[in-house]
Amino acid sequence: MFSIGKLAGATGVKVPTIRYYEQIGLLAAPDRNSGNQRLYDDAARARLAFIRHARELGFPLEAIRELLGLSDDPARSCKQADAIAQRQLVQVEARIARLNALRAELERMVHQCAHGTIAECRVIEVLGNHALCTHEHAEPSLVQEEA
Amino acid sequence: MFSIGKLAGATGVKVPTIRYYEQIGLLAAPDRNSGNQRLYDDAARARLAFIRHARELGFPLEAIRELLGLSDDPARSCKQADAIAQRQLVQVEARIARLNALRAELERMVHQCAHGTIAECRVIEVLGNHALCTHEHAEPSLVQEEA
DNA sequence: TCTAAAGGCTCTAGTCACTAGAGCATCAAG
DNA sequence: CTTGATGCTCTAGTGACTAGAGCCTTTAGA
């Protein structure tokens, strides 16, 4: 049985984050010791490791909640789990494509700068005038949040 | 002179977002008409276009605030503007590298799945056991937020 | 000129996944 | 037995918006 600190150390998830996961119902509330401190067992550790790993792979907490629900039912078809992972893959691919376009644009901007004054600065100029871009780039919404 | 709706149409920035930019001081509060509605001029339009373009390129609002400050001073050296763009480029590159690792991991997971039951599902298994990964992947913190 | 719809206003609260801090209580080591 | 680390709850803040309530103003058509 571990304290929350030991659990944090064992999984690499910070203490407040563990409490947050409990608060949103992603992790069951564990038993407490006589002094009201949380005590975790190895099953909790495994579950938290699962969550952490899925987070590292960019799954949103809601998808992780679903995956955890599925993993509790071993006899079931894994169709849904596949679909979730597949969806995540598609999103990661879209983000990569998008970031590659941004990188190209930023590189062009930075390389064209002659390091003179603001008045001649290619960075400022390009930002002010989208027509100077080679590519269209998508709305910020597509760029938001992470994986 | 445009209403906020026309400005939104002209720049592709949504109406509530424009008001939000005003609220956080990124866009100056414009004059109002007799009915207390905002009226924008072309300078405001250009400034908002700058902001939008910079957002599309993934600059955080604080960086944009700085860039706008610089662009108001045309005689100044563009060293700082370059540095901001360069920093952004580095971050975008880091995100691309990170996402490529994630994509590889997700692809492996998805392709190994035999589409059977949860008990045999590679997706669930890999998520539960980081040792099954080929790569280390970074902390979620590095993955957060966007460009 | 009237009316109805579209657009505008302010304000508050919600999103996601945490993070930070205040102000306490409890535990482990010396 | 003390001290410092760790734990507890609760509230509020982050970034960059988005959604909604409840109201007012403008504009186009009849």
Side-chain angles (χ1 to χ4, degrees), chain A residues 7 11-14 17-22 24-28 40 43-69 71, chain B residues 124-130 137-138 140 144:
Chain A
L7 181 64
T11 57
V13 179
K14 290 186 196 138
T17 303
I18 297 173
R19 286 196 280 246
Y20 168 72
Y21 287 163
E22 179 182 324
I24 63 169
L26 205 60
L27 213 51
Y40 296 92
R45 196 205 48 70
R47 202 172 170 92
L48 186 56
F50 184 105
I51 296 171
R52 161 139 156 109
H53 195 190
R55 282 297 295 140
E56 283 173 358
L57 287 168
F59 290 90
L61 292 182
E62 276 322 296
I64 296 174
R65 200 189 289 277
E66 251 189 288
L67 287 168
L68 282 167
S71 77
Chain B
I124 297 286
E125 191 185 352
V126 172
L127 286 174
N129 186 354
H130 193 145
H137 24 87
Q144 289 314 331

Side-chain angles (χ1 to χ4, degrees), chain B residues 72-88:
Chain B
D72 288 341
D73 190 354
R76 189 169 179 159
S77 154
C78 71
K79 234 166 150 184
Q80 271 180 278
D82 283 356
I84 294 169
Q86 186 64 55
R87 210 164 59 219
Q88 176 61 14

Side-chain angles (χ1 to χ4, degrees), chain B residues 20-36:
Chain B
Y20 168 72
Y21 287 163
E22 179 183 325
Q23 187 196 307
I24 63 167
L26 205 59
L27 214 49
D31 291 341
R32 305 283 181 120
N33 69 6
S34 58
N36 196 36

